[in-house]
Amino acid sequence: MSNFTTIALQDDVMHEGKRILSFWKERVLLSDGSFYGEIGSDGIPNSHAPRSFILASRILWTFSRAWNSEFTIKQDDKLTADQSYEFLKKHFWDEEHLGFFWMIDEFHKPINDAKHIYAQAFAIYALAEYFEVSKNYEAILFAQLTFSLIERHAADDKYGGYLESFTRDWTTSHNALLDPEHLNSDTDLGKSMNTHLHLLEAYTQLYRIWPNERLKRSIQKLLDLLEEKILNQVTHHFALFFDFDWTVKSNITSYGHDIEGSWLMLEAAQMIHDYERIHKFQKIALDMVDAVLQQGMDNDYGLFNEGRGNDIIDDNKDWWPQAEAVVGCINAYQISGDRVYLEAAQNIWGFITRFLIDVNHGDWYWRVFKNGDPDPQKPIVEPWKCPYHNTRACIEVWQRLMTLEE
């Protein structure tokens, strides 16, 4: 990849990041800090749809991160972030039992008051990012309190890692919110890769603003857990679901999570200045990216969703694995200096621009089929369809390419 091509990619991701943010500000967010919980594939909002905490926290993170970057209109993002913070605090925080609810209705009343660690992790991630740019000390207090709640209620002293699902009063419950459909089982699912990876992501961001020793030890434990229990050292893929004692319960590979994890784990080691783990996770990152590119990429440079062994079992291409793949490849280039990873990033970005960008309604299609056609059944916005992965990818890639020029 030439320097000219690298600069062109920088310009492309900046332009696209601004376009995504504009869509969310103009089409999704409401004047009271709320948002539409769903917008269909036809671009029509459903004002009666419930509002999920995952979407609320990711909106707060996105506009805080945009405000904290060099690439958008800061005053607009500041207002959006401030309003999003106030809405999240007012309507999702449980004053009685503490922690954040999973879901509220259109009238802002809880309709699912579960306390899932996945959601609490995204609370920390969003609040820490918001504090970093706003210096609103109430936000960091919420983040620190949520960290304490997780460590108090969810840390598993027997087997390591964290229990994941709780009722409103923090009683352990069935882990239904992240249960994989393909397990087709009524048995209790103990732990997941997804929750532990995003808890690491959240703790890393919190450490950036609060370099606490207990928090550092938790990050180190999560890194070791991801390496020793969750990552298959032979295939270089994450296992996805586990029993409480870390017995693997699924043999499916999620290529998007693999390549996302490759850079998030290294980022965590770098954040805590743990040089032994930095060296280890640099090699792990390259091994994981290589496995994804060799086994999970189609001829059009789009990433398939899932595989099992050497077989592709879901050949759809969702929006978020493509976003994470661009970041993961740029990160691999920063580690290795091998320009094959820059070329891979450019090729994946080319797939995104050809197939995923919804020029009619805004943002990206949820998924496209193997032939490149968008799935007409999937909404533009809903509890899991958010501005977090693709906006973050645009900002991360732009900033990382900037450092390559310095």
Side-chain angles (χ1 to χ4, degrees):
M1 181 188 292
S2 67
N3 289 337
F4 175 80
T5 307
T6 303
I7 293 170
L9 178 56
Q10 273 184 277
D11 290 343
D12 283 351
V13 296
M14 174 179 279
H15 173 78
E16 181 57 18
K18 291 179 177 180
R19 195 189 71 86
I20 296 167
L21 291 168
S22 294
F23 165 79
W24 282 82
K25 280 185 278 195
E26 296 167 9
R27 301 284 301 280
V28 185
L29 303 183
L30 304 174
S31 59
D32 64 351
S34 183
F35 51 89
Y36 290 116
E38 179 182 298
I39 296 179
S41 59
D42 55 5
I44 299 174
N46 176 5
S47 60
H48 302 297
R51 277 68 165 162
S52 79
F53 182 78
I54 298 303
L55 182 51
S57 61
R58 289 175 172 186
I59 289 170
L60 174 58
W61 181 88
T62 295
F63 285 95
S64 299
R65 187 70 183 88
W67 178 10
N68 202 18
S69 74
E70 300 87 353
F71 122 0
T72 59
I73 303 172
K74 293 181 182 293
Q75 194 60 35
D76 287 354
D77 296 328
K78 176 185 185 302
L79 176 62
T80 302
D82 287 340
Q83 290 177 331
S84 297
Y85 169 72
E86 292 297 330
F87 182 84
L88 183 146
K89 177 185 69 172
K90 181 177 180 181
H91 298 294
F92 284 97
W93 178 254
D94 183 355
E95 290 283 357
E96 182 178 358
H97 296 288
L98 310 182
F100 292 92
F101 298 128
W102 184 261
M103 189 84 69
I104 62 176
D105 64 16
E106 62 179 297
F107 305 108
H108 307 156
K109 302 301 181 183
I111 55 173
N112 186 333
D113 59 11
K115 305 289 173 59
H116 200 287
I117 298 305
Y118 187 95
Q120 311 310 308
F122 270 97
I124 292 174
Y125 192 51
L127 291 164
E129 186 71 48
Y130 177 68
F131 170 78
E132 185 173 2
V133 66
S134 70
K135 300 302 183 284
N136 182 334
Y137 281 89
E138 182 185 58
I140 193 174
L141 291 176
F142 272 115
Q144 291 167 331
L145 176 54
T146 306
F147 166 71
S148 295
L149 289 167
I150 292 171
E151 295 296 315
R152 181 190 316 155
H153 294 292
D156 184 350
D157 295 330
K158 183 175 182 180
Y159 295 114
Y162 296 83
L163 307 179
E164 299 193 10
S165 189
F166 301 85
T167 62
R168 179 177 181 179
D169 65 359
W170 291 97
T171 301
T172 305
S173 69
H174 177 68
N175 192 359
L177 296 174
L178 298 183
D179 266 2
E181 294 178 3
H182 56 262
L183 286 185
N184 192 27
S185 171
D186 293 328
T187 60
D188 198 15
L189 183 71
K191 294 166 183 171
S192 69
M193 171 280 302
N194 205 4
T195 291
H196 285 77
L197 179 64
H198 289 295
L199 193 57
L200 175 72
E201 169 190 59
Y203 280 10
T204 301
Q205 178 59 34
L206 182 58
Y207 190 84
R208 184 192 304 274
I209 61 169
W210 182 48
N212 174 272
E213 280 302 310
R214 183 187 179 195
L215 176 58
K216 180 178 181 179
R217 289 193 299 272
S218 295
I219 292 171
Q220 290 171 326
K221 288 179 181 179
L222 278 165
L223 283 170
D224 293 344
L225 185 80
L226 284 156
E227 178 198 2
E228 297 166 7
K229 300 292 187 182
I230 297 177
L231 179 65
N232 185 313
Q233 300 292 334
V234 176
T235 66
H236 309 297
H237 296 302
F238 285 139
L240 301 185
F241 299 100
F242 308 83
D243 208 337
F244 291 100
D245 64 358
W246 293 105
T247 301
V248 177
K249 304 292 285 185
S250 170
N251 61 358
I252 289 177
T253 295
S254 169
Y255 299 112
H257 284 112
D258 284 351
I259 205 159
E260 179 183 23
S262 74
W263 71 269
L264 286 177
M265 291 187 295
L266 179 57
E267 178 186 62
Q270 292 168 333
M271 182 62 65
I272 61 176
H273 306 291
D274 188 325
Y275 297 104
E276 180 180 347
R277 286 181 175 84
I278 289 171
H279 178 73
K280 181 190 300 184
F281 282 97
Q282 284 177 330
K283 182 179 185 307
I284 287 172
L286 294 178
D287 288 339
M288 294 181 76
V289 171
D290 288 343
V292 169
L293 295 182
Q294 291 165 14
Q295 300 166 24
M297 180 179 283
D298 201 359
N299 293 330
D300 60 8
Y301 303 111
L303 254 64
F304 294 121
N305 284 344
E306 293 183 333
R308 182 188 288 116
N310 294 320
D311 299 323
I312 301 299
I313 62 171
D314 182 349
D315 64 7
N316 294 319
K317 298 158 189 175
D318 287 3
W319 93 100
W320 67 268
Q322 321 309 321
E324 297 299 338
V326 181
V327 181
C329 288
I330 296 293
N331 183 63
Y333 173 73
Q334 291 176 298
I335 296 168
S336 67
D338 189 338
R339 298 185 73 84
V340 70
Y341 297 115
L342 275 177
E343 293 170 3
Q346 178 69 42
N347 289 333
I348 298 164
W349 184 256
F351 173 86
I352 290 169
T353 58
R354 291 195 307 276
F355 296 109
L356 277 178
I357 295 175
D358 184 350
V359 296
N360 294 319
H361 301 115
D363 203 67
W364 296 4
Y365 297 116
W366 176 293
R367 72 163 55 113
V368 295
F369 300 126
K370 187 176 179 3
N371 65 4
D373 291 340
D375 183 344
Q377 303 303 314
K378 299 298 286 186
I380 302 171
V381 173
E382 61 101 75
W384 294 97
K385 180 62 163 58
C386 61
Y388 146 76
H389 288 286
N390 48 5
T391 304
R392 182 173 72 173
C394 291
I395 295 173
E396 283 284 337
V397 170
W398 186 80
Q399 291 182 329
R400 288 166 184 261
L401 292 178
M402 285 289 290
T403 65
L404 296 180
E405 295 179 358
E406 294 174 358

